[in-house]
Amino acid sequence: MFILSKFIYMSQKKNEVWAGKKIPRIAIANTYRMSENYVSIIKMSLETETIIEKKKINDVRPMISAEYFDEIENLVKADPDFIKACARRGISDMSLVCVDPWSSAGSWKEHEETEKDFFVSHTFAWVRSKKNDNHYAHPIEGVNAVVDISSLKILRVDDYHKDDKDIIPIPKIDNNYEDQGENETY
C-alpha cells in the first residue's frame, strides 16, 4: 500500500488566467511505502488523468504524516519508561502531557549500531498546568522517546537526567494567548 504524504496542485498565475492563457492543470504527489526506504514523486495531468513523470528517490524518508501524530503521542504517553520519567519530574496526569514527533534526519543505521534502517521519530514533550493551558510554556526537559513509525513501536526512551538532582524543573508560569482556561483547575 502506498501512502500519500504530500499533494500539491500547481495553480495558474492570475495574470495568465485573466489573459485567457490555457495552462495545463498539473498536480504533484509524494508517496511512499512504510516498509521501504524511498519516496516517489509523481507529476500528473488532472485534465487527461495521466502520469506525466514519476521519480523514485532512494535512501530518504517522507515527512511524518499528520495521521501519525496522535498515534505516536498516545503510544509514548502509555509507555512505562516514559511515564516513570514524567513521574520523576512530578507529572502524574498523562492527559495533560503533549508529545510531538519530530522527523529524524538521515538514516537510522548511520546513528545506531543496527542492521535495520527504521523510519524514526524523536519526540519532545510538554505538559499543561490545566486543561486549556499553553503546553509549550512547560517543556519536559531531558525526556525523548525514539519511535519506529513503520511499526509504531518505541525503540527506547532517553532520560538524560538519571540523577534526580540533575532534573531541570518544569516552568510553572502560565503563558497563555487567550483568557480561556484561566479559571480552570486540575
Side-chain angles (χ1 to χ4, degrees):
M1 174 175 81
F2 282 96
I3 298 171
L4 178 69
S5 70
K6 187 176 187 180
F7 183 84
I8 302 169
Y9 172 67
M10 305 303 289
S11 62
Q12 301 176 10
K13 296 176 182 169
K14 287 181 185 179
N15 60 344
E16 293 172 343
V17 173
W18 292 332
K21 186 176 179 184
K22 176 98 169 110
I23 306 286
R25 292 177 54 227
I26 294 173
I28 298 173
N30 292 356
T31 64
Y32 64 96
R33 288 186 183 187
M34 277 292 204
S35 60
E36 304 197 25
N37 196 17
Y38 70 87
V39 172
S40 293
I41 301 174
I42 303 167
K43 188 176 187 179
M44 61 198 94
S45 166
L46 299 177
E47 295 165 327
T48 63
E49 298 181 5
T50 58
I51 293 175
I52 299 168
E53 181 183 355
K54 185 176 179 182
K55 186 169 28 173
K56 181 178 175 182
I57 303 174
N58 291 310
D59 299 321
V60 297
R61 292 290 190 175
M63 63 183 189
I64 301 173
S65 298
E67 61 264 21
Y68 292 108
F69 275 64
D70 287 339
E71 289 187 62
I72 292 169
E73 178 177 48
N74 292 333
L75 179 72
V76 171
K77 287 170 47 172
D79 182 79
D81 291 334
F82 184 79
I83 293 169
K84 181 180 171 185
C86 287
R88 290 183 56 233
R89 289 156 175 83
I91 302 166
S92 59
D93 186 351
M94 296 306 288
S95 72
L96 296 172
V97 173
C98 173
V99 176
D100 286 348
W102 289 29
S103 292
S104 174
S107 169
W108 179 253
K109 284 197 250 185
E110 294 172 13
H111 304 292
E112 302 289 331
E113 293 180 16
T114 179
E115 289 300 313
K116 186 172 179 188
D117 197 11
F118 296 99
F119 180 17
V120 173
S121 166
H122 291 270
T123 66
F124 296 87
W126 295 266
V127 63
R128 295 173 181 91
S129 62
K130 55 187 169 275
K131 184 180 174 189
N132 290 319
D133 185 31
N134 172 15
H135 56 274
Y136 292 115
H138 313 285
I140 304 172
E141 297 286 351
V143 180
N144 306 91
V146 180
V147 179
D148 175 21
I149 301 170
S150 298
S151 65
L152 286 174
K153 297 209 182 314
I154 293 180
L155 300 173
R156 69 172 191 257
V157 174
D158 295 326
D159 186 347
Y160 295 102
H161 304 288
K162 295 293 184 188
D163 190 344
D164 286 347
K165 67 181 179 190
D166 293 335
I167 291 176
I168 297 170
I170 295 170
K172 299 294 182 195
I173 298 172
D174 288 343
N175 202 355
N176 294 298
Y177 300 111
E178 300 176 354
D179 289 337
Q180 180 184 5
E182 285 298 313
N183 297 318
E184 291 185 21
T185 58
Y186 62 97

